[in-house]
C-alpha cells in the first residue's frame, strides 16, 4: 500500500516537472548568468559598450566585498576589515570616493571555515553583485574559492595572505593578486639572516602543517643554503593548543636559533614557554603575520624582547612620517583610540590605498578587465606608509617583494634591517642568490 | 488507491513540497521574486540565483544531518568525529575521480559504500565496547588525526597534500539536455548549477525516504531500543554489538554520500575543509533541529546552511549594533545566547515545536501541548530563588497566599 502511494507521488511529481518545464520555456533567456556574459571577461573589453552593466558599478557606487574572519580562531585579524572599511568611509567623505563613485565594502564573516567561505563568496558574487573581491583573508578558505572566482571573471584583489599559491602562476590565475610578501620570499630573507648571523651553528624550524608552513620552510632552507645545520623540523596542526612539545624538542636538539612559522597566539605562547618555563634564552625569528603588537601583548614586552621578523611599513610611533600622520588622522575619524594603531591597521591602510589607486587607474568607466589592467600597470608605486615600492606586471602579481627585518625593542617594533629585495623573481626561481641587499628608506631607523 | 487518498492533506503537502523543490532553480527569474518589488515593509522579496547554490548545499547538509541524527538521535550513539567521516567521503570521491577516472556519480556511491563499511567495521565494532563520553572522545580523535593523515607524504600523490583536490564544475550530461530539448522544443536546458541542484536534492529526497523506511523497520525499532536502554534491548533479543555497528555503518553511508556530494558541489576539498568545530556544529545542528526525527534533520540542515549568513547579518537586524566593531565583540555572545535560549525553550528542538503545534490542531488542546520550556523555566526560577540565602521563607509564604 505504502509503495503504491509513493509511486503515485513520484508519478505526479514527474508530471508536474514536465508541465513546469514546458510552461517556463519563455524564461529561458533569464537563465543565463549575468556574470557569464563575455563582455566582462573578454581580454580586450577595457571599456564597457554602452548599455552593458558591469556588476557592482553604478553611476554613484562601487561595490567591493570580502570573506574574512570576524569571529573564529583567527578573529584577531578582524581589525583589518574594520579599518579598511573606515578608510573607505574616510575617502568617501573627504574625496567623494573614487572617480565620483563612493565605495561600499561588504564584509562577510566566514569564521575561517572553508565551506562557509564558499557560501559567502558565492553570495557576494551572485546575490550582492560585487565588482571585485578585495583582501580576502585566510589561506585554506581562500583556496576553496579561488578557481570559482577565475571562472566567474571576478577580480580577486590583494588577498590577505602570503601563500605562494596566489602569485606563483599569474597565467593560470590571472585575476588573483597578493598583498603580503610571499612566504617563501619572506623566509628566504630570514634564512639569509640566520646564515650571516649564526655561521656554523644550529637552527630549528616550527611550522604549521599546511602550505603556509611548507612555503616558509622552503624559504628558510634556501636562505640558509646549508651553511647552518638544521637540527629540527617540527610541524604542528592549526588545531593544536600550543607549541610546547615542539619547543622542548628543539631545546633538546640544542638549536642556536628558532624559526616559528605560525600565527600570533601560538607564536607568543611558544616564546613564553621557552623563556619563562624552560629559561631558554634562544633568539626567535617569527613570521610577518605574527610580527605585530598582538603577539607582544600575549607574550609580554620583556619576554618577546629581541625577537626578529619581517616588516613592510613604517611604525605607528614614527609620528613625524607623513603617512603615519595620515594614519593617525584616519584612526581618529574611525573613532579608534591611538593605542589601537598597530602593524595590522598599518597593513590595512596599505591594502586600502592600493585598492583606491587601482580603482582610480581603472578610469571613469571601470570594467573588471580594466581593473586587472590597472593593477598590472602599477610600477614603483608607494603607499603612504610603505617602506618599499609596489610593482606589478602581467607576469608578477606579487606586490611586496622587498623585505626588511624588524625587532621587538622596549615594547615596540623597530625597523632594524637589513633589507633584501627579490623584486620580479618568480617563486619557483628563488634562491639565496636572488636576494639583493637594499638600504632602509630614510627615517626608518629610530 | 482511491481519489480520497490523493486528497489527504499529507499527500497534498508533499506534492506542494515536490513542486517547490522542482521549480526552485527557476524562481529567480520570475516577476514576483526577481527583486522588482522592493521594500515590502522591512525586507525585499528577492530570490537570486545564489539561492540555488544555497539550496544545493542545504541538500548536502540534509544528508549529513540525517546521518548525525540517525546515529545520535535515533540510536543514541554520540559522535564528535562526524566531520571526519564526511571528509573521508569527499576525499574518496575526489581520489576515485581524479586518480582513477571513475565517473563522478559512481565515485559518490562508492564513497558512500566505502565510508559505510569502514564506519561500521572500524568505528562501529570498537564502539560496541564504548559508550557515552568514552565514545565521544574516541570519535573526536578521528577528526583530530584525519587532516594529518591526509597530509602524509606517502599519499601525497593521491591527496595533493595541504593543497587539496579540485575539479571543474560538473556540466549536465548531453543526454539530459538533449532530452529536455526534444520534449520542450529547445525551450529548456539546464545549466551546471541547476543540474547539480537537481542531482543533490534528488539524492537527498531519495535518501530521506529511505531513512523514513529504515527508522520504521525492525532495524529502526532496534536502534530506538538501543538508545532507550541497552540492557532492555538485550533482554528483548536485540544483538547490541551488531546493531551498534549497523548504526555506525548506515550513518557513515549517509555521511559518505553527503561528503561525496559536498566535494562535487564545492568542486574542491582540502584537509582543512572540515574541522573539529564543524563536527561539533553538526551535533549542535541536530540538537537544535530536533533529535530522532526527520523533520529535526531538515531544521538542522537549514541551520547549517544559513547560520553563517544570519550571523553575518546580525548587525543590520539588531538596533544599536550598527558597526562591525561592536559586532565583532558581541557576535559570539549573541550566538551563544541564542543557542542556550533555544535549548532551554525547546528541548526537543525546532521539530518539537512543530509537533506540539500539530497536536494542538488535532484537538489535543493546550493540555496536550508539550511545553517543557515553561515548566523548566519555572523550575529553574524556583530553584534559584530557593537557593538564595534567606529567600526561601519569603518565597514559600508568597506562594501560600
Amino acid at each position: 500500500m505504502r509503495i503504491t502511494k509513493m509511486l503515485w507521488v513520484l508519478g505526479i511529481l514527474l508530471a508536474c516537472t514536465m508541465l513546469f518545464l514546458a510552461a517556463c520555456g519563455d524564461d529561458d533567456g533569464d537563465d543565463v548568468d549575468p556574470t557569464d556574459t563575455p563582455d566582462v571577461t573578454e581580454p580586450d573589453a577595457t571599456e564597457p559598450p554602452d548599455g552593458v552593466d558591469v556588476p557592482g558599478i553604478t553611476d554613484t557606487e562601487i561595490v567591493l566585498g570580502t570573506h574574512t574572519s570576524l569571529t573564529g580562531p583567527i578573529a584577531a585579524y578582524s581589525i583589518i576589515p574594520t579599518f579598511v572599511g573606515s578608510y573607505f568611509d574616510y575617502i568617501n567623505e573627504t574625496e567623494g570616493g573614487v572617480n565620483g563613485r563612493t565605495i561600499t565594502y561588504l564584509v562577510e564573516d566566514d569564521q575561517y571555515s572553508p565551506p562557509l567561505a564558499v557560501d559567502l563568496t558565492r553570495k557576494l558574487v551572485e546575490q550582492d553583485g560585487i565588482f571585485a573581491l578585495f583582501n580576502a583573508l585566510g589561506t585554506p578558505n581562500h583556496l576553496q574559492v579561488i578557481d570559482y572566482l577565475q571562472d566567474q571573471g571576478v577580480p580577486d584583489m590583494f588577498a590577505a595572505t602570503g601563500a605562494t599559491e596566489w602569485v606563483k602562476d599569474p597565467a593560470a590565475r590571472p585575476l588573483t593578486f597578493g598583498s603580503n610578501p610571499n612566504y617563501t620570499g619572506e623566509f628566504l630573507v630570514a634564512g639569509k639572516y640566520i646564515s650571516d648571523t649564526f655561521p656554523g651553528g644550529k637552527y630549528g624550524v616550527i611550522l604549521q602543517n599546511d602550505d603556509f608552513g611548507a612555503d616558509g620552510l622552503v624559504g628558510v632552507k634556501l636562505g640558509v643554503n646549508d651553511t647552518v645545520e638544521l637540527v629540527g623540523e617540527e610541524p604542528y596542526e592549526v588545531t593544536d593548543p600550543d607549541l610546547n612539545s615542539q619547543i622542548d624538542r628543539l631545546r633538546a636538539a640544542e638549536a642556536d636559533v628558532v624559526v616559528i612559522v605560525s600565527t600570533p597566539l601560538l607564536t607568543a605562547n611558544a616564546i613564553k614557554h621557552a623563556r619563562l618555563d624552560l629559561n631558554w634564552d634562544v633568539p626567535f625569528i617569527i613570521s610577518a603575520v605574527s610580527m605585530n603588537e598582538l603577539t607582544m601583548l600575549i607574550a609580554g614586552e620583556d619576554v618577546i624582547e629581541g625577537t626578529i621578523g619581517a616588516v613592510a611599513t613604517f611604525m605607528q610611533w614614527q609620528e613625524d612620517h607623513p603617512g603615519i600622520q595620515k594614519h593617525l588622522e584616519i584612526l581618529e575619524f574611525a573613532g579608534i583610540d591611538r593605542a589601537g594603531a598597530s602593524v595590522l591597521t598599518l597593513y590595512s591602510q596599505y591594502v586600502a590605498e592600493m585598492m583606491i589607486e587601482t580603482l582610480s587607474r581603472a578610469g571613469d568607466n571601470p570594467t573588471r578587465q580594466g581593473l586587472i589592467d590597472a593593477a598590472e600597470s602599477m610600477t614603483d608605486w608607494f603607499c603612504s606608509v610603505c617602506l618599499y615600492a609596489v610593482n606589478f606586471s602581467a607576469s608578477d602579481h606579487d606586490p611586496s617583494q622587498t623585505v626588511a627585518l624588524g625587532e621587538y625593542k622596549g615594547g615596540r617594533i623597530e625597523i632594524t634591517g637589513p633589507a633584501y629585495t627579490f623584486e620580479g623573481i618568480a617563486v619557483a626561481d628563488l634562491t639565496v642568490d636572488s636576494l639583493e641587499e637594499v638600504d632602509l628608506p630614510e627615517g626608518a631607523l629610530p | 488507491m482511491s481519489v480520497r487518498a490523493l486528497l489527504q492533506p499529507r499527500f497534498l503537502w508533499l506534492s506542494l513540497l515536490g513542486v517547490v523543490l522542482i521549480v526552485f532553480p527557476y524562481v529567480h527569474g520570475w516577476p514576483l521574486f526577481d527583486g522588482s518589488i522592493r521594500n515590502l515593509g522591512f525586507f525585499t522579496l528577492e530570490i537570486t540565483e545564489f539561492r540555488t547554490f544555497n539550496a544545493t548545499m542545504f541538500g548536502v547538509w540534509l544528508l549529513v544531518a540525517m546521518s548525525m541524527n540517525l546515529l545520535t538521535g535515533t540510536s543514541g550513539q554520540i559522535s564528535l568525529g562526524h566531520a571526519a567521516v564526511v571528509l573521508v567521503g569527499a576525499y574518496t570521491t575526489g581520489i576515485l575521480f581524479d586518480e582513477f577516472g571513475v565517473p563522478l556519480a559512481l565515485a559518490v556511491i562508492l564513497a558512500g559504500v566505502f565510508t559505510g563499511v569502514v564506519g561500521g567495521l572500524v568505528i562501529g565494532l570498537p564502539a560496541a565496547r564504548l559508550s557515552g563520553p568514552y565514545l565521544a572522545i574516541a570519535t573526536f580523535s578521528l577528526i583530530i588525526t584525519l587532516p594529518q593523515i591526509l597530509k602524509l607524504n606517502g599519499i601525497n600523490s593521491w591527496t595533493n597534500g595541504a593543497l587539496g583536490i579540485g575539479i571543474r564544475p560538473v556540466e549536465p550530461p548531453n543526454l539530459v539536455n538533449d532530452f529536455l530539448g526534444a520534449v520542450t522544443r529547445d525551450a529548456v536546458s539546464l545549466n551546471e548549477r541547476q543540474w547539480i541542484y537537481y542531482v543533490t536534492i534528488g539524492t537527498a529526497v531519495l535518501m530521506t525516504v529511505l531513512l523514513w523506511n529504515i527508522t520504521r523497520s525492525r532495524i529502526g525499532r532496534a536502534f530506538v531500543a538501543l538508545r532507550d536502554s541497552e540492557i532492555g534491548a538485550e533482554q528483548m533479543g536485540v544483538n547490541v554489538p551488531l546493531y551498534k555497528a549497523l548504526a555506525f555503518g548506515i550513518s557513515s553511508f549517509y555521511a559518505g554520500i553527503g561528503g561525496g556530494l559536498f566535494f562535487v558541489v564545492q568542486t574542491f576539498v582540502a584537509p582543512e575543509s572540515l574541522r573539529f568545530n564543524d563536527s561539533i556544529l553538526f551535533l549542535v545542528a541536530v540538537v537544535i533541529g530536533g533529535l530522532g526525527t526527520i523533520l529535526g534533520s531538515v531544521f538542522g540542515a537549514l541551520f547549517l546552511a544559513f547560520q553563517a549568513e544570519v550571523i553575518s547579518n546580525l548587525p543590520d537586524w539588531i538596533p544599536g549594533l550598527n558597526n562591525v566593531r561592536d559586532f565583532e565583540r558581541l557576535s559570539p555572545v549573541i550566538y551563544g545566547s541564542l543557542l542556550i535560549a533555544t535549548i532551554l525553550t525547546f528541548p526537543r528542538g525546532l521539530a518539537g515545536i512543530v509537533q506540539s503545534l500539530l497536536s494542538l490542531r488535532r484537538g489535543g488542546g493546550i493540555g496536550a501541548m508539550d511545553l517543557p520550556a515553561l515548566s523548566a523555566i519555572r523550575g529553574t526560577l524556583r530553584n534559584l530563588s530557593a537557593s538564595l540565602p534567606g529567600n526561601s521563607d519569603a518565597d514559600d509564604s508568597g506562594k501560600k497566599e
Side-chain angles (χ1 to χ4, degrees):
Chain A
M1 173 63 191
R2 210 167 50 206
I3 291 173
T4 358
K5 212 187 226 169
M6 218 167 319
L7 281 177
W8 269 99
V9 176
L10 283 176
I12 289 187
L13 286 185
L14 208 64
C16 290
T17 324
M18 289 302 147
L19 273 177
F20 156 74
L21 289 176
C24 73
D26 298 338
D27 292 340
D28 196 36
D30 301 336
D31 297 334
V32 181
D33 184 352
T35 52
D36 284 346
T37 46
D39 312 274
V40 189
T41 46
E42 259 179 21
D44 299 333
T46 44
E47 291 285 319
D50 285 343
V52 173
D53 284 343
V54 178
I57 301 278
T58 67
D59 290 344
T60 55
E61 196 186 20
I62 299 173
V63 184
L64 303 174
T66 190
H67 70 81
T68 185
S69 280
L70 300 179
T71 59
I74 57 165
Y77 294 125
S78 60
I79 184 68
I80 297 176
T82 311
F83 190 83
V84 166
S86 302
Y87 188 90
F88 287 155
D89 290 346
Y90 177 82
I91 294 294
N92 289 341
E93 198 148 302
T94 56
E95 297 173 18
V98 182
N99 295 337
R101 292 185 180 89
T102 57
I103 299 172
T104 304
Y105 189 43
L106 304 175
V107 177
E108 295 286 355
D109 176 18
D110 65 17
Q111 305 165 28
Y112 202 44
S113 154
L116 290 189
V118 176
D119 271 12
L120 297 170
T121 305
R122 293 184 80 129
K123 175 177 170 289
L124 285 169
V125 171
E126 293 165 21
Q127 177 150 318
D128 302 324
I130 54 168
F131 177 55
L133 197 75
F134 165 58
N135 204 231
L137 189 141
T139 306
N141 31 353
H142 196 56
L143 211 50
Q144 198 114 351
V145 298
I146 182 168
D147 287 326
Y148 165 78
L149 294 170
Q150 315 294 316
D151 283 350
Q152 299 290 318
V154 181
D156 176 15
M157 307 311 284
F158 316 131
T161 94
T164 53
E165 191 62 22
W166 314 148
V167 294
K168 72 179 180 193
D169 190 3
R173 283 163 179 163
L175 304 185
T176 297
F177 292 80
S179 65
N180 305 42
N182 73 67
Y183 294 134
T184 299
E186 178 199 329
F187 280 97
L188 181 67
V189 172
K192 169 85 175 147
Y193 174 82
I194 292 174
S195 148
D196 292 345
T197 321
F198 304 91
K202 300 171 180 171
Y203 77 104
V205 182
I206 299 176
L207 64 146
Q208 193 162 304
N209 189 9
D210 59 13
D211 47 339
F212 168 37
D215 286 349
L217 183 67
V218 168
V220 180
K221 281 183 173 170
L222 285 173
V224 170
N225 204 14
D226 292 332
T227 54
V228 182
E229 188 192 351
L230 176 62
V231 291
E233 200 181 298
E234 300 287 343
Y236 72 89
E237 293 299 317
V238 192
T239 45
D240 285 357
D242 60 47
L243 305 179
N244 291 0
S245 55
Q246 284 83 353
I247 290 281
D248 293 348
R249 281 196 291 274
L250 289 182
R251 163 127 212 223
E254 295 175 343
D256 297 317
V257 54
V258 172
V259 181
I260 307 180
V261 189
S262 177
T263 43
L265 180 66
L266 288 173
T267 304
N269 285 332
I271 296 175
K272 259 166 96 171
H273 178 63
R275 300 222 162 132
L276 298 181
D277 301 346
L278 304 180
N279 205 13
W280 183 34
D281 200 19
V282 68
F284 284 99
I285 299 176
I286 64 177
S287 165
V289 299
S290 298
M291 195 67 191
N292 52 46
E293 287 71 11
L294 186 72
T295 313
M296 181 169 68
L297 195 74
I298 302 168
E301 287 177 12
D302 303 338
V303 176
I304 206 165
E305 180 81 15
T307 297
I308 287 169
V311 290
T313 59
F314 284 90
M315 293 299 142
Q316 69 277 12
W317 49 264
Q318 295 173 316
E319 291 180 10
D320 296 337
H321 188 277
I324 300 298
Q325 282 163 7
K326 181 179 173 192
H327 189 69
L328 296 175
E329 196 181 316
I330 296 164
L331 276 177
E332 200 178 320
F333 171 84
I336 303 174
D337 192 62
R338 209 167 242 234
S342 68
V343 169
L344 295 178
T345 56
L346 287 161
Y347 165 82
S348 313
Q349 178 157 332
Y350 149 60
V351 285
E353 282 181 359
M354 189 151 65
M355 191 68 216
I356 301 269
E357 174 70 17
T358 314
L359 284 170
S360 100
R361 283 178 189 225
D364 287 337
N365 294 309
T367 59
R368 285 172 163 175
Q369 184 57 41
L371 188 74
I372 302 297
D373 294 344
E376 286 176 351
S377 76
M378 285 163 78
T379 47
D380 271 332
W381 176 78
F382 274 86
C383 86
S384 66
V385 291
C386 290
L387 291 174
Y388 296 101
V390 164
N391 285 293
F392 283 118
S393 72
S395 59
D396 173 12
H397 284 189
D398 198 355
S400 174
Q401 289 175 303
T402 306
V403 173
L405 292 180
E407 188 176 339
Y408 287 95
K409 272 187 184 171
R412 65 186 197 188
I413 298 173
E414 292 185 358
I415 303 156
T416 50
Y420 295 93
T421 182
F422 44 96
E423 188 60 61
I425 297 172
V427 175
D429 300 334
L430 284 174
T431 65
V432 71
D433 299 326
S434 323
L435 294 181
E436 191 184 317
E437 185 158 3
V438 289
D439 293 334
L440 287 175
E442 206 172 313
L445 287 168
Chain B
M1 193 78 189
S2 64
V3 179
R4 255 182 65 199
L6 285 180
L7 290 175
Q8 276 180 356
R10 176 191 273 185
F11 181 80
L12 291 175
W13 279 117
L14 277 179
S15 311
L16 185 67
L17 180 67
V19 172
V20 169
L21 286 179
I22 288 169
V23 302
F24 190 78
Y26 291 89
V27 166
H28 66 87
W30 291 3
L32 190 60
F33 300 104
D34 62 0
S36 47
I37 308 174
R38 289 195 175 268
N39 299 325
L40 285 172
F42 62 97
F43 78 111
T44 308
L45 188 64
E46 183 176 11
I47 292 179
T48 55
E49 223 179 349
F50 160 69
R51 293 300 168 201
T52 306
F53 172 78
N54 225 207
T56 314
M57 275 315 285
F58 165 77
V60 173
W61 293 134
L62 178 60
L63 288 167
V64 173
M66 285 194 300
S67 149
M68 193 74 212
N69 213 340
L70 176 73
L71 193 69
T72 305
T74 308
S75 65
Q77 313 295 308
I78 199 155
S79 167
L80 289 179
H82 231 58
V85 186
V86 180
L87 202 54
V88 168
Y91 258 97
T92 313
T93 311
I95 292 171
L96 283 176
F97 176 76
D98 206 42
E99 288 294 317
F100 299 99
V102 178
L104 259 184
L106 185 63
V108 172
I109 295 170
L110 287 177
V113 173
F114 176 73
T115 51
V117 172
V118 170
L121 295 179
V122 179
I123 317 172
L125 285 183
R129 295 176 177 276
L130 298 169
S131 62
Y134 306 102
L135 185 58
I137 291 170
T139 48
F140 191 56
S141 67
L142 291 174
I143 190 63
I144 300 290
T145 48
L146 187 66
Q148 304 182 46
I149 295 172
L150 290 172
K151 284 184 243 173
L152 285 179
N153 284 333
I155 53 170
N156 229 337
S157 61
W158 282 6
T159 60
N160 205 8
L163 289 178
I165 306 171
I167 51 165
R168 304 281 317 145
V170 184
E171 302 275 347
N174 289 335
L175 194 70
V176 173
N177 269 339
D178 287 351
F179 174 75
L180 281 177
V183 172
T184 62
R185 278 181 246 105
D186 286 336
V188 174
S189 65
L190 294 177
N191 63 25
E192 57 204 34
R193 74 188 72 196
Q194 286 160 340
W195 168 244
I196 192 66
Y197 166 83
Y198 285 123
V199 169
T200 312
I201 290 294
T203 315
V205 168
L206 268 183
M207 303 272 288
T208 310
V209 174
L210 184 67
L211 188 73
W212 179 275
N213 282 315
I214 290 177
T215 49
R216 269 151 195 76
S217 69
R218 174 203 291 266
I219 300 175
R221 284 192 298 273
F223 287 166
V224 173
L226 208 61
R227 173 191 68 193
D228 292 342
S229 160
E230 267 183 39
I231 298 170
E234 210 166 1
Q235 290 290 325
M236 299 300 290
V238 174
N239 182 340
V240 172
L242 176 72
Y243 276 93
K244 269 195 175 175
L246 199 60
F248 270 97
I250 297 177
S251 166
S252 303
F253 173 70
Y254 271 76
I257 298 276
L261 287 171
F262 175 88
F263 170 72
V264 176
V265 173
Q266 301 239 339
T267 67
F268 182 80
V269 66
E272 316 292 334
S273 284
L274 292 168
R275 304 200 180 101
F276 74 93
N277 43 342
D278 294 295
S279 241
I280 291 166
L281 206 59
F282 293 163
L283 192 62
V284 170
V286 293
V287 171
I288 286 196
L291 282 169
T293 58
I294 297 225
L295 195 60
S297 304
V298 174
F299 282 120
L302 285 173
F303 172 83
L304 288 172
F306 291 103
Q307 56 106 6
E309 197 187 330
V310 171
I311 292 175
S312 224
N313 283 324
L314 278 180
D316 299 339
W317 298 337
I318 299 179
L321 199 77
N322 45 16
N323 74 50
V324 184
R325 250 168 14 109
D326 283 349
F327 169 61
E328 160 207 327
R329 260 183 238 131
L330 286 179
S331 146
V333 179
I334 297 169
Y335 187 33
S337 323
L338 283 177
L339 285 185
I340 294 174
T342 314
I343 299 296
L344 266 183
T345 345
F346 315 112
R348 289 197 299 143
L350 297 171
I353 309 176
V354 174
Q355 279 160 354
S356 303
L357 290 176
L358 282 181
S359 71
L360 185 68
R361 210 198 50 169
R362 285 200 192 105
I366 296 284
M369 246 181 107
D370 180 23
L371 282 177
L374 287 181
S375 51
I377 291 173
R378 228 180 282 134
T380 316
L381 286 179
R382 202 180 300 133
N383 290 342
L384 262 181
S385 61
S387 65
L388 291 175
N391 230 14
S392 54
D393 286 349
D395 194 29
D396 281 346
S397 62
K399 252 186 207 149
K400 272 167 207 158
E401 285 167 22

